[in-house]
Amino acid sequence: MKADPRGVLTGEHFIDGDHACCEGALAAGARFAAGYPITPSTEVVERFAARVPTVGGTFIQMEDELAASITLQGGVWAGAKAFTVTSGPGFSLMMEHIGYAAMTETPCVFVDVQRGGPSTGLPTLPAQADMMQARWGSHGDYAVIALCPNSPQECFDLTIKAFNLSEEFRVPVMFMMDEVVGHMTEKVVIPPADQIEIVPRKHTKESVEEFQPYKTNGDLVPEIAHAGEGYRFHVTGLTHDERGYPNMTPQTQDKLVRRLQNKITSAADRIAMFEEAHLKDADVVVVSYGITSRVAQRAIDTAREQGLRVGKLRLITAWPFPEKKIRQLAGRVKAFVVPELNLGQMALEVERAAAGRAKTFSLTHAGGGVHRPEDILKVIVEASR
Amino acid sequence: MSTDLNTDLLNNDLLNTDLPDDDLVNPVEPFLRTDRMPHIWCPGCGIGTTVNCFARALIESKIDLQSLALVSGIGCTGRVAGYVALDSFHTTHGRAIPFATGLKLANPKLNVVVYSGDGDLSAIGGNHLIHAARRNIDLKVICVNNLIYAMTGGQTAPTTPDHATTSTNPYGTFEPSFNLPHLVEAAGAVYVARWTTFHVRQLARAIGEAFQKKGFSFIEVISPCPTLYQRRNKLGDSLDTMKYYKAKSKVKNGAPTSEVGLTISGEIIVGKFVDRERPDYQSMMRAQYVDSLGDRFVEPMEAEVCS
Amino acid sequence: MFHHFYQAHFLIKRGGLVTKGRVSIVAERCKSCGFCIEFCPSHVLAFSSAFNAKGYHVPHVVHPEKCSGCDLCGMYCPDFAIYGKKNADGGKK
């Protein structure tokens, strides 16, 4: 399905990542958003609030993030594509409803423009310290998808991808920006609507009598119906059977929770996106994502100029973690260097996937700025020895 | 005739099966997920009674059931969503109203009912309650107030009156309680009524009236929790409570809501307290956009096409 | 399990009684709260001495001739176990 041209601002623009994210959402077909102001993410919904009445949709500013993160899901069950936007403190409040979206299989997108934490932290300065929270933040076992753009152009492109993945897998998708990417202004090219591929909602074709809201057919993702269509279905955050009815047995729990996780993990290879360079001859691979990948690029370039065999692996999909890729590389490289704006989060995943076959150098930064390329270079040199 | 049911049951004559089918259907039955009966509510719990009134209000008001969505939060009343044969959403604790807000805004054709308890709506969901009333979102809120957190075992709620004993105030509560009609009127609700589970016909009528209103309507239903509130406070069983409702309720339509606060065993003022007109959120939103954007305004799509 | 509809209606046929209404009881759902008995304006119902499968005393009809079919019992019943219905002929024959 092609994008609805009403939401697509085709052309070349000079805009920041927050604004590009908003345009990506509109191009993806989002016509409903509920938000709560928080730096450094607010520009996304500010632009949405200005744009959406001209393309046929609704924005509501809610009383808090708890409300915003569930209001958008009401919008989804009424038939809209919907999202919300926040930063760390708000992301913490939204965990309740990321769990609800995972449990009820509500396709939607949560944008987190990361800033320094914990707590109020550094409202105007960058971090990448919500990466584990994005994966594990709500209680219970579930799986999500998380994407990490590193430029305003990617904020546009990958927001569309985020919506598409949310629809394909009926899962909340975390869009993990950071303050620098959000506030960085660059050229963003928005293609014509007929060049933008949109994944439609997986709507049921069953009759009202036959429809069961959580019955799967061949794959692991059930078909959906919307309120007002006559299906008279039930949705609950309680453990439920295929009819959507609460069922408090270990058997139903096992079946449901494993499916919620398996529908993502079994498709991890298909979901995994990364950018790679110089991996063929690499002794050392720099694994990075978001704004840090752009700093790392400088370090990689310098290292290669100095004759070091350094490869680049930029994670575009953070979750599900592309562990197969790391596992393959671990068999033939000496080490991974993982710079990130936190005290070592995705480095843990790299280390786990490498399983001792290659060393992992975690290059930490508490946030508030970005790494210096020379600091990354220093670790590359050390790792190459 | 015999007064022994078991004897009756053995007598085939008494198992009357030759009545027309429609005679055999309880009017509430088409609104229930009968495959989920019996429900989990305790003997003497009033929630089922409110569901009867809701069903009869739907019949009376001839509302299109396909357009009707029901949203509950968490708690005993939160289970209503699981028992009604409607598009029904059992959401998270306190968040029924914002979920319902999303449904209504994304598809304005829906009639959206929020059916939840006092703790869910006024404590953890208190912020959403007042803001939805302030915005005048077109929602029908039915708040079953049993004065306690029942599902979790009888803890103090914002509505627990006087010095009632609860599991978390074992020596009696001492914090003042919310007067919910006063709260939601102050916040902006266009329709505010209170009835008890004794007042079944009035309650059914009130729910029907709320469906006629455009805007935030709030109906409080005082309801017994014999298991955790009445018993712990030595107020008898639920039948005693219903008799108390009958004896001590006073109908005062239009009563100032500041004067309808509840006490543990005193008078219960019931009636329709507020019935006023204010433009609802979506009317205001549309007017603002039309005014500011003129021809550039595009109507929000009703039932957004995703498929 | 005795899932049955226990109706006052049969009495019309059996004893030639003419009533304005009748009640039906789904005994297995009853939890014995007594609301229907207490608030029936015509005092049609009383507790039976028998138990249902869950051990609750179920109401039964003691004065079928008084039933107006007003359905107050049905509105009160928290367990959807009883309802009243006016007879089509309104008891006029």
Side-chain angles (χ1 to χ4, degrees):
Chain A
M1 182 175 143
K2 302 298 177 190
D4 170 6
R6 281 176 298 184
V8 183
L9 207 62
T10 303
E12 285 189 10
H13 306 271
F14 189 59
I15 52 177
D16 71 16
D18 281 356
H19 287 251
C21 170
C22 171
E23 289 304 329
L26 286 165
R31 293 295 180 271
F32 188 76
Y36 186 81
I38 186 166
T39 305
S41 74
T42 317
E43 292 91 330
V44 183
V45 289
E46 284 173 347
R47 187 177 179 108
F48 195 80
R51 290 262 289 131
V52 83
T54 69
V55 300
T58 303
F59 169 71
I60 183 168
Q61 182 178 319
M62 294 304 291
E63 51 273 9
D64 56 32
E65 285 92 345
L66 297 161
S69 56
I70 193 81
T71 300
L72 82 93
Q73 296 185 48
V76 171
W77 285 99
K81 286 192 178 181
F83 73 121
T84 190
V85 183
T86 192
S87 186
F91 200 48
S92 291
L93 291 180
M94 289 182 179
M95 286 302 137
E96 176 181 26
H97 294 131
I98 289 169
Y100 188 76
M103 187 59 142
T104 57
E105 301 181 71
T106 303
C108 55
V109 175
F110 289 78
V111 178
D112 176 11
V113 187
Q114 297 172 86
R115 68 191 219 187
S119 191
T120 313
L122 301 169
T124 62
L125 297 171
Q128 297 175 310
D130 305 349
M131 297 306 295
M132 282 291 172
Q133 185 183 23
R135 172 63 187 88
W136 302 105
S138 198
H139 57 277
D141 283 315
Y142 62 99
V144 297
I145 295 170
L147 306 181
C148 300
N150 81 345
S151 68
Q153 182 67 52
E154 275 198 352
C155 287
F156 175 82
D157 297 337
L158 293 179
T159 299
I160 297 171
K161 186 78 185 169
F163 274 94
N164 284 348
L165 288 167
S166 80
E167 297 294 345
E168 183 180 351
F169 292 98
R170 281 189 65 179
V171 70
V173 175
M174 309 296 122
F175 197 63
M176 304 304 287
M177 295 166 59
D178 55 67
E179 186 275 334
V180 180
V181 165
H183 284 161
M184 161 194 292
T185 298
E186 289 182 341
K187 187 169 90 170
V188 174
V189 180
I190 299 182
D194 61 9
Q195 291 175 23
I196 298 174
E197 204 57 45
I198 299 299
V199 174
R201 184 144 302 165
K202 197 174 174 184
H203 196 281
T204 186
K205 288 162 196 74
E206 294 275 9
S207 66
V208 167
E209 293 73 28
E210 296 294 314
F211 177 64
Q212 293 194 14
Y214 291 97
K215 190 173 164 221
T216 51
N217 257 332
D219 64 8
L220 295 171
V221 184
E223 293 172 342
I224 198 168
H226 295 136
E229 296 175 337
Y231 286 91
R232 299 210 203 175
F233 59 89
H234 181 55
V235 170
T236 177
L238 287 165
T239 295
H240 46 269
D241 60 20
E242 294 182 337
R243 296 171 300 172
Y245 289 177
N247 185 314
M248 304 295 109
T249 62
Q251 293 77 20
T252 305
Q253 167 77 358
D254 186 84
K255 193 175 170 199
L256 174 62
V257 174
R258 286 188 195 282
R259 183 175 62 75
L260 293 180
Q261 194 152 66
N262 288 345
K263 71 176 178 178
I264 304 303
T265 52
S266 67
D269 289 346
R270 191 148 56 84
I271 298 168
M273 292 181 287
F274 30 75
E275 182 192 338
E276 53 184 71
H278 316 301
L279 289 184
K280 268 190 182 150
D281 68 344
D283 289 331
V284 172
V285 176
V286 178
V287 182
S288 62
Y289 55 94
I291 188 57
T292 308
S293 67
R294 295 179 68 158
V295 184
Q297 184 65 51
R298 173 71 178 274
I300 292 165
D301 292 346
T302 310
R304 287 204 80 91
E305 280 164 20
Q306 293 176 8
L308 294 170
R309 291 193 294 190
V310 186
K312 167 170 94 170
L313 182 68
R314 174 165 76 91
L315 306 180
I316 298 172
T317 309
W319 304 112
F321 184 74
E323 58 184 80
K324 196 167 146 191
K325 185 76 181 173
I326 297 291
R327 209 166 39 237
Q328 285 166 352
L329 288 170
R332 56 184 171 87
V333 304
K334 277 191 202 161
F336 296 101
V337 173
V338 190
E340 48 187 341
L341 296 180
N342 57 52
L343 300 189
Q345 295 191 12
M346 299 311 284
L348 292 172
E349 282 297 291
V350 175
E351 193 171 29
R352 183 179 65 80
R357 294 194 295 159
K359 269 186 166 177
T360 300
F361 290 78
S362 172
L363 187 46
T364 63
H365 187 307
V370 295
H371 292 81
R372 296 189 311 163
E374 50 267 42
D375 292 339
I376 300 175
L377 180 63
K378 211 180 290 175
V379 179
I380 292 172
V381 171
E382 189 189 335
S384 302
R385 278 188 199 125
Chain B
M1 78 180 261
S2 166
T3 56
D4 187 330
L5 184 60
N6 286 342
T7 310
D8 285 354
L9 283 169
L10 297 172
N11 185 336
N12 282 335
D13 270 6
L14 306 184
L15 293 172
N16 194 310
T17 55
D18 60 353
L19 288 167
D21 280 345
D22 65 329
D23 263 356
L24 289 167
V25 177
N26 185 331
V28 74
E29 214 80 352
F31 300 92
L32 297 177
R33 298 186 188 277
T34 47
D35 50 348
R36 294 206 61 219
M37 294 295 133
H39 57 59
I40 61 162
W41 297 313
C42 298
C45 170
I47 297 169
T49 303
T50 72
V51 173
N52 287 321
C53 299
F54 176 64
R56 281 156 180 83
L58 295 181
I59 296 167
E60 281 295 307
S61 58
K62 296 187 173 60
I63 211 145
D64 172 20
L65 294 183
Q66 186 167 327
S67 76
L68 195 66
L70 187 144
V71 187
S72 290
I74 297 297
C76 292
T77 312
R79 294 302 182 101
V80 168
Y83 293 129
V84 292
L86 301 167
D87 289 332
S88 57
F89 299 90
H90 183 226
T91 63
T92 50
H93 199 13
R95 320 295 171 215
I97 285 177
F99 186 96
T101 298
L103 279 175
K104 183 67 187 173
L105 293 189
N107 184 355
K109 281 183 181 164
L110 292 174
N111 287 296
V112 184
V113 175
V114 171
Y115 213 125
S116 215
D118 50 306
D120 184 75
L121 288 166
S122 77
I124 188 166
N127 200 24
H128 314 311
L129 177 70
I130 57 174
H131 285 282
R134 171 180 67 79
R135 296 185 182 106
N136 202 21
I137 308 273
D138 187 18
L139 301 175
K140 322 300 165 198
V141 181
I142 298 168
C143 173
V144 179
N145 182 357
N146 56 14
L147 311 172
I148 203 95
Y149 281 94
M151 183 70 87
T152 47
Q155 297 80 20
T156 304
T159 46
T160 307
D162 287 336
H163 298 281
T165 301
T166 70
S167 65
T168 46
N169 281 114
Y171 310 112
T173 54
F174 43 85
E175 54 180 68
S177 59
F178 263 151
N179 168 350
L180 294 178
H182 193 39
L183 177 71
V184 295
E185 183 192 12
V190 292
Y191 182 94
V192 183
R194 173 198 283 156
W195 297 101
T196 76
T197 47
F198 170 72
H199 300 90
V200 285
R201 294 211 192 282
Q202 295 92 327
L203 174 58
R205 198 181 313 126
I207 295 170
E209 283 178 4
F211 276 115
Q212 301 306 315
K213 297 290 291 185
K214 198 166 175 64
F216 191 84
S217 300
F218 185 87
I219 299 168
E220 181 185 26
V221 194
I222 311 299
S223 172
C225 174
T227 310
L228 291 156
Y229 180 76
Q230 269 79 23
R231 187 173 58 176
R232 186 170 270 138
N233 285 286
K234 300 188 170 50
L235 294 167
D237 62 15
S238 63
L239 190 56
D240 296 323
T241 306
M242 291 287 272
K243 289 178 188 169
Y244 156 64
Y245 293 164
K246 185 181 177 183
K248 291 291 189 84
S249 292
K250 194 173 250 179
V251 180
K252 281 189 187 172
N253 291 316
T257 54
S258 59
E259 296 169 13
V260 305
L262 296 168
T263 56
I264 194 163
S265 56
E267 196 172 71
I268 302 170
I269 308 294
V270 294
K272 179 166 75 176
F273 303 137
V274 177
D275 189 350
R276 59 184 170 184
E277 299 300 324
R278 280 175 68 214
D280 77 299
Y281 181 87
Q282 280 159 303
S283 306
M284 291 185 285
M285 179 172 73
R286 191 180 180 284
Q288 190 78 30
Y289 287 153
V290 168
D291 189 44
S292 300
L293 292 168
D295 290 346
R296 290 176 57 221
F297 172 63
V298 176
E299 297 284 351
M301 275 174 285
E302 290 170 356
E304 170 68 26
V305 189
C306 283
S307 48
Chain C
M1 283 291 280
F2 51 101
H3 181 146
H4 75 293
F5 294 95
Y6 176 75
Q7 298 197 313
H9 182 69
F10 62 84
L11 290 161
I12 298 170
K13 294 190 300 184
R14 286 176 91 215
L17 278 171
V18 176
T19 62
K20 285 185 182 170
R22 58 189 188 274
V23 294
S24 292
I25 299 167
V26 184
E28 68 186 22
R29 284 191 189 166
C30 178
K31 292 180 189 159
S32 209
C33 68
F35 292 0
C36 57
I37 297 168
E38 176 69 24
F39 298 116
C40 171
S42 312
H43 308 292
V44 169
L45 301 158
F47 276 121
S48 137
S49 59
F51 301 101
N52 68 10
K54 292 200 169 173
Y56 293 110
H57 284 295
V58 178
H60 71 159
V61 176
V62 289
H63 290 298
E65 75 284 0
K66 292 183 181 172
C67 180
S68 69
C70 71
D71 190 36
L72 260 184
C73 53
M75 293 190 77
Y76 278 115
C77 179
D79 298 292
F80 318 121
I82 188 171
Y83 66 97
K85 191 167 173 70
K86 289 191 193 303
N87 283 329
D89 57 16
K92 278 177 193 151
K93 70 181 167 185

